[in-house]
Amino acid sequence: MHIDRLERYWIIAVTAMLGVFMAALFVSVVVFRVQLPSPVGRVDPRALAETEFATPGLSDLGAGRYDMHIVAKMWNFDLGQGKGEPAEVRLPRGAQVTFFVTSEDVTHGFFIEGHDANLMLLPGQIASTTVRFNRPGTYHIICHEYCGPAHANMVAAIIVE
Ligand code: CUA
């Protein structure tokens, strides 16, 4: 079969580039452990009362570490700390909090101002991230996935003392 010289060069160049891309993918996954965010667990959104999300809120694990369960719903975040508007939780400076968050109705977002926390909340899935709060201040938890008419009001606050 006759292949034109230029065409042959292009076939070699494209194949080599595919090889480089595959190698880059392999190195990023195996060496740098790059992973897509994935849910840490699953729950039945119609039966949250029978799960760890029955009583949302903060658990003190000692030594400045905390777990926090949060239920997102149209249109607030249930932090389990009374029913203030917006809901708020107080943390000591330096607290390291692992958040476990789920939605009981539609897709919501979870973003914490000034920190590296950005989750998508899907009913049936538990999303998780760990954040350290080093600076005193008020940091809002914001829903950044459109979830209905009162989406813009869907906010809570973390107060670091
Ligand atoms: Cu919840 Cu937007």
Side-chain angles (χ1 to χ4, degrees):
M1 183 174 66
H2 172 74
I3 299 175
D4 185 77
R5 188 169 52 93
L6 273 178
E7 205 163 359
R8 194 195 320 273
Y9 290 159
W10 277 111
I11 289 171
I12 291 168
V14 167
T15 307
M17 279 166 66
L18 283 176
V20 169
F21 294 152
M22 288 300 291
L25 195 63
F26 187 78
V27 167
S28 64
V29 170
V30 174
V31 179
F32 296 105
R33 308 243 169 241
V34 174
Q35 290 186 329
L36 290 174
S38 53
V40 296
R42 297 190 180 270
V43 284
D44 180 351
R46 288 156 300 186
L48 290 182
E50 291 149 34
T51 70
E52 61 197 282
F53 291 96
T55 52
L58 205 58
S59 330
D60 190 343
L61 307 180
R65 289 164 169 268
Y66 299 83
D67 275 354
M68 182 154 199
H69 286 78
I70 299 178
V71 178
K73 55 185 110 169
M74 291 184 281
W75 286 279
N76 58 63
F77 293 100
D78 187 349
L79 309 181
Q81 316 280 313
K83 295 295 170 195
E85 274 306 322
E88 60 183 45
V89 63
R90 290 174 183 272
L91 293 170
R93 180 181 181 174
Q96 181 174 310
V97 184
T98 300
F99 293 91
F100 297 92
V101 198
T102 193
S103 163
E104 72 166 34
D105 40 39
V106 299
T107 302
H108 295 280
F110 183 92
F111 173 81
I112 303 176
E113 275 183 328
H115 294 82
D116 185 17
N118 186 342
L119 302 172
M120 182 188 255
L121 311 177
L122 298 168
Q125 298 189 352
I126 303 170
S128 181
T129 187
T130 299
V131 179
R132 196 181 182 95
F133 295 93
N134 288 325
R135 283 166 291 129
T138 298
Y139 306 101
H140 291 102
I141 301 173
I142 294 161
C143 176
H144 60 7
E145 296 276 350
Y146 182 73
C147 56
H151 158 71
N153 301 337
M154 189 162 167
V155 66
I158 293 169
I159 298 162
V160 181
E161 303 179 310

